[in-house]
Amino acid sequence: MSYTPPSWSPPGQRPPGPGPRSRRDRGLTALAVGLTLLVVAVTGAGWYGYGPGAGDERTRAADAKESAAPESTAPPSTGAASPRPSLRTPRPVRAPSAQELAAARRPGEAAAWIAADPTDLPRRNIRVDGPWTVGGTVVQALYREVTAYRLSDGAEVWNLTLPTPVCEAPEHAAPDGRIVLALASSGSRRGARCDRFQMVDLRTGKAGWTKELLRDPARDTPAIIVHTAISGDTLAVAEGLGAAAFRVSDGSRLFTVPTENPGRCHPDRVAGGSRLLVSATCALGDDPRTRYSQLRALDPRTGAVRWRHRTPAGRRVERVISVDPVVYTSIDNERLTDDWRIVALGPRGELRRTIDPRPKGFEHCVNVGIGAGLQPCPGVVVGHGLVHVGGTDRAGAYDLATGKLLWGVRAHDGRTLTPVGFRSSRGTVVYESATPSRPGRTFVLGEGGAGKEETLMNHPAAAAEAEYSTMAGRVLQAGGRIVVMPSFVTGEDDRRQPRLVSFAPAPE
């Protein structure tokens, strides 16, 4: 690995500034315009699709990038599992059992477990929500099931079957382990709406209250697209051009988030955790060059506004990286992710620092796509006054006070580097994804960057095929372990993927 901040620039990298928009971004622009018109004009029944989305685009893009990358000159490890082929020639990924993984583990390799759910799924791409950690378990929501696995060995602890598929879930659960899932109105993909809410206790797997929180008898207009977030005992729900808050414990309504300025800033998305944030699109009907976003921090119990922040005209809030401190990504309304920034705010919502990661080749939230919820922004973490940015073949640390790149590292074989947490004030734990022929690894990137990283775990070759099949969709650090999950899984029987792959330092 090599990386030379701050003047390093990879060969062939486009210069900073707007470039030609991809077919996907042009399509998403058209989709956003069409959705805006639909939200404004709709008066009858709506719909909610819970099939392929931006995460699926990322999976296909990652496959294409992996297929196009030059083959590594280093020989694969002897005895490794057969590399996963391109999705163009599908075959099921066999998940080795815990006993098989233990028997195949070589000296110096991490311990691992793989969760492979045999549940039959519809023949399409299905979103995966979570993971959430509660006590000694990691929990995942997939289609019509919520399942908890023991962190130590991957054994299933409980499983809850839902009446209809999950179509949206908060990034964070409540502090007591309860969560509220948004469910589709039916199991049918066509005409399904996102209008049912189900509370689940992630500690026990018991289902709690269920309600149609968004149905307004006065207008009988069902939810079209829903975004949710939890802060404390408050569930915030944004739908269409409005938002409201409910109590997680019993589903009772707490407050409605008002439209401001006057009537020109419409709440559209929410972010949770230790703070509750609500974004709004302002000057919605105006030229994209004058449209902007407003971000409000609300008291999660009362809805009182603690501070307001607005973007410059022509830009919008896209993803929230951190709620404490508040750090988000901003994109241009017309150039989209070709023109993105990292924006850090002060304690009262004032602008603290704007960082442009494009000159170093960093892609927006590891190319996760746009137009979804405010959270998460995969591959970017904030802590100790730094923002650590990952992506395809690189990771680096920027100083939030100065905006300068302090150090970084590059991988030379197309792997994705995902910062997932911190080992110390100056050491970031980074997950390095698997390739078709090599397993991943976990290392600490510290002050000094390239050449100074410390390997924490070499992932086992026997799990490489399953690890690669996740495409590093979501990566979590929990209890000294790394948990890797796909963003989407396919219901095709000949493309069956593991649900979770987890690694931990091997016992001495």
Side-chain angles (χ1 to χ4, degrees):
M1 291 187 167
S2 63
Y3 186 100
T4 310
S7 60
W8 166 84
S9 179
Q13 175 195 310
R14 67 173 184 266
R21 284 184 289 172
S22 67
R23 182 188 309 171
R24 183 190 65 184
D25 283 349
R26 290 197 298 271
L28 284 169
T29 303
L31 175 61
V33 172
L35 178 59
T36 299
L37 293 175
L38 175 62
V39 169
V40 172
V42 67
T43 57
W47 55 267
Y48 188 93
Y50 47 87
D56 187 47
E57 290 294 330
R58 180 187 169 203
T59 298
R60 288 196 292 266
D63 273 346
K65 186 174 291 185
E66 193 73 43
S67 300
E71 194 169 299
S72 172
T73 56
S77 300
T78 305
S82 300
R84 176 179 181 267
S86 165
L87 291 182
R88 297 185 186 90
T89 56
R91 68 178 179 84
V93 175
R94 183 184 178 277
S97 67
Q99 293 78 10
E100 289 175 312
L101 288 172
R105 187 172 59 82
R106 302 171 189 164
E109 289 186 338
W113 57 257
I114 300 171
D117 187 347
T119 302
D120 190 32
L121 298 173
R123 298 182 64 182
R124 60 175 181 263
N125 284 344
I126 307 293
R127 61 176 283 154
V128 187
D129 288 292
W132 307 281
T133 57
V134 179
T137 65
V138 56
V139 186
Q140 175 187 78
L142 172 62
Y143 190 51
R144 293 180 53 185
E145 292 188 343
V146 187
T147 308
Y149 301 93
R150 195 159 52 216
L151 268 172
S152 59
D153 58 9
E156 184 177 302
V157 178
W158 55 259
N159 174 273
L160 174 66
T161 300
L162 302 168
T164 56
V166 178
C167 56
E168 220 281 337
E171 176 75 3
H172 304 280
D176 63 3
R178 286 182 284 193
I179 201 166
V180 181
L181 306 174
L183 306 185
S185 59
S186 71
S188 171
R189 188 179 185 187
R190 292 180 177 271
R193 304 183 300 271
C194 199
D195 61 359
R196 297 183 181 183
F197 290 81
Q198 173 72 66
M199 190 269 277
V200 177
D201 189 333
L202 299 182
R203 299 165 301 181
T204 64
K206 302 297 184 183
W209 57 263
T210 179
K211 295 183 180 182
E212 292 183 355
L213 297 180
L214 302 180
R215 188 61 64 89
D216 184 350
R219 59 188 178 103
D220 196 32
T221 302
I224 297 175
I225 290 180
V226 167
H227 301 297
T228 61
I230 288 177
S231 180
D233 190 36
T234 297
L235 166 72
V237 181
E239 177 263 323
L241 298 176
F246 306 86
R247 190 173 284 115
V248 171
S249 52
D250 59 14
S252 59
R253 193 180 189 95
L254 293 174
F255 56 85
T256 298
V257 179
T259 298
E260 294 187 334
N261 187 29
R264 284 171 55 84
C265 286
H266 303 277
D268 53 14
R269 293 184 295 167
V270 289
S274 59
R275 283 179 174 166
L276 177 60
L277 304 179
V278 177
S279 71
T281 299
C282 302
L284 183 62
D286 295 349
D287 188 296
R289 290 169 292 184
T290 60
R291 194 180 308 142
Y292 62 95
S293 287
Q294 181 195 67
L295 198 61
R296 280 177 279 178
L298 304 184
D299 184 318
R301 295 165 298 179
T302 66
V305 179
R306 290 175 171 168
W307 50 256
R308 294 175 179 83
H309 166 81
R310 63 163 287 178
T311 66
R315 300 194 69 83
R316 71 175 190 246
V317 175
E318 184 55 33
R319 295 287 177 117
V320 170
I321 301 169
S322 165
V323 298
D324 188 15
V326 175
V327 182
Y328 69 87
T329 70
S330 115
I331 64 174
D332 183 86
N333 285 335
E334 296 184 299
R335 296 188 292 271
L336 303 179
T337 56
D338 282 335
D339 186 358
W340 76 285
R341 304 288 190 277
I342 294 173
V343 181
L345 304 183
R348 294 173 299 279
E350 72 277 13
L351 179 64
R352 180 186 177 193
R353 179 64 56 187
T354 299
I355 298 170
D356 184 357
R358 294 174 304 157
K360 294 302 176 187
F362 290 107
E363 301 153 335
H364 179 260
C365 298
V366 198
N367 266 337
V368 74
I370 63 172
L374 279 181
Q375 295 171 311
C377 177
V380 189
V381 296
V382 172
H384 305 290
L386 305 175
V387 55
H388 299 263
V389 186
T392 306
D393 79 7
R394 67 200 67 200
Y398 288 87
D399 189 323
L400 285 176
T402 65
K404 294 182 178 180
L405 179 68
L406 299 180
W407 56 80
V409 67
R410 276 196 71 185
H412 293 292
D413 50 5
R415 299 173 185 244
T416 298
L417 302 184
T418 304
V420 295
F422 303 94
R423 193 183 191 192
S424 64
S425 62
R426 308 296 272 184
T428 310
V429 178
V430 178
Y431 167 75
E432 182 178 42
S433 68
T435 72
S437 60
R438 293 183 178 181
R441 71 168 179 144
T442 303
F443 66 93
V444 175
L445 176 62
E447 197 166 357
K452 303 294 184 180
E453 63 268 34
E454 173 192 351
T455 297
L456 293 180
M457 291 185 281
N458 288 308
H459 300 173
E465 185 177 18
E467 181 182 7
Y468 172 68
S469 74
T470 68
M471 290 296 165
R474 295 296 304 277
V475 186
L476 175 74
Q477 182 185 24
R481 304 188 69 95
I482 295 294
V483 178
V484 189
M485 181 183 90
S487 299
F488 285 78
V489 297
T490 177
E492 302 285 348
D493 290 339
D494 56 0
R495 295 184 184 180
R496 189 170 291 277
Q497 301 155 265
R499 304 306 191 238
L500 290 168
V501 183
S502 181
F503 306 97
E508 297 295 335

